[in-house]
Amino acid sequence: MLVNKVLIANRGEIAVRVLRACRELGIPTVAVYSEADRQSLHVRYADEAYFLGPSPARDSYLRADKILEIAHRCGADAIHPGYGFLAEREDFARGCEDAGIVFIGPKPSSIAAMGDKTTARATVAKAGIPVVPGTEGEGNLSDEELIRIAAQVGFPLLVKASAGGGGKGMREVRTPEELPHLLQAARREAEAAFGDGNVYLEKLILTARHVEFQILADKEGDVIYLGERECSLQRRHQKLLEEAPSPFIGSDETLRRTMGEVACRTAASVGYYNAGTIEFLVDKDRKFYFLEMNTRLQVEHPATEMITGIDIVKEQIRIARGRPLRYRQEDVKLSGWSLECRINAEDPYNQFTPSTGRLQLVFVPTGPGVRVDTGVYSGFEVTPYYDSLISKLIVWGETRAEAILRMRRALEEYRIIGVKTNIPFHQALLESPRFLAGLFDTRFVEERFALNGETGGEDYHPEMAAIFATLMEHQSSQRAAQIMQPARQAASRWKWSSRGEGKGR
Ligand code: MV4
């Protein structure tokens, strides 16, 4: 397979990330852009750039026909879809194939098999992968059938949309009486969002962790795993902070290996090639269940890159070229700890509402162990047309404690004037005893955490005191204790101006 010129069918930080990989591999690049993105970094960074259309995604980044036409016109022989937009559209992957263009991703049938969650559950269950107890088989079930099965599954349970993922069309059901009504609500939401009202049932797993495994698979059928990421810190199914490895799995190498091997078998069950992610729920007894597989590059892939030293985007391109994997499982060594904060243009003091406007000033943190993936710069206009992610701040440390102290330092250095950002949220999270102790689950951010200090302090854990002691020890051993006070002042001054109360607004 020839990949001699890559068109990047995306925008923002991920388009820049893919462009960088192409540049390092010596591959010429083509950007596409919408009206709102004329001044975007990905347009400036690419060798060539072509206009797609008006700002709304459906008129630009979702126009598969125009993107394929541009690829033909400029002689691009491969397309990288990034994440979102066309990345998990079976028809687009097939359209590329039919047009003789390499889709830098999995084969269309793998996208389809994992895209429908009912099919995915049935497929992986048949391959012996543990799934959450619930409905079985690939068929579309009626309300009557679902109500009958619900009695066997037990309550509480979750109604999930077959076409969903990421929590859309999901309903928590506590009693049999609520079920008929909530089935209707879930079907309606799923129909509106995906044009598919099919739903299935799963037992609700309480106090669960959201742990995902990164895999790489080549066209010869070899699959390896690159460890896991902890993704439990979310708000409304938007991940906010990810880390690798998971503090919950920690030094349990047996669990890591077991889950990693299951992740590889999951990918193999659909003839997968490309980079991919298998999401699991892990309950308090360390039992784990397959949730879904993402058949694309993920936002949080850098956390894994930091602890493995493997450039996942370059590997995607090599795999697309038909090369065998360059690593065997025993070559993959996890080293140190990584954290990623998603920096969003939104107001954490006002229900995280999106914030738009011109970035008057951006100071980007640098220094040892710090990586920033971003698509914005001083003078850039943040518009309301796309998601609010403007940057990812990623750090590496030898230990989790060092990574946390480094992230605090980097967040203090980060200055973004012109839009509100969730940096104050991240700063508060990095002070939270439960976060520091690694004692959090998928409900932590929404149910227990507040910007003005944690709520629900009734259950104090001795682990927290131990973690504090370790962090303080680590910090004083790095002779950083003296700068605590000025740093706090700087942060509060910064928060003040970011809230738009300063004169610069
Ligand atoms: C679950 C679950 C508990 N039990 N399924 C959320 C998005 C999608 N990827 C799957 N998700 C979940 N599925 C069962 N059977 C918990 C989550 C979940 C979650 C739920 C509520 C609030 C935040 C959450 C964050 C991550 C995962």
Side-chain angles (χ1 to χ4, degrees), residues 158 160 167 202-203 205 210 234 237 279 281 291-292 442:
L158 281 174
K160 294 186 174 187
E202 275 184 9
K203 191 169 128 63
I205 308 290
H210 195 189
Q234 328 195 349
H237 302 296
E279 293 185 12
L281 276 180
L291 263 190
E292 46 194 76
T442 51

Side-chain angles (χ1 to χ4, degrees), residues 379-390:
F380 182 82
E381 175 97 15
V382 178
T383 68
Y385 296 105
Y386 315 108
D387 67 26
S388 61
L389 182 80
I390 56 173

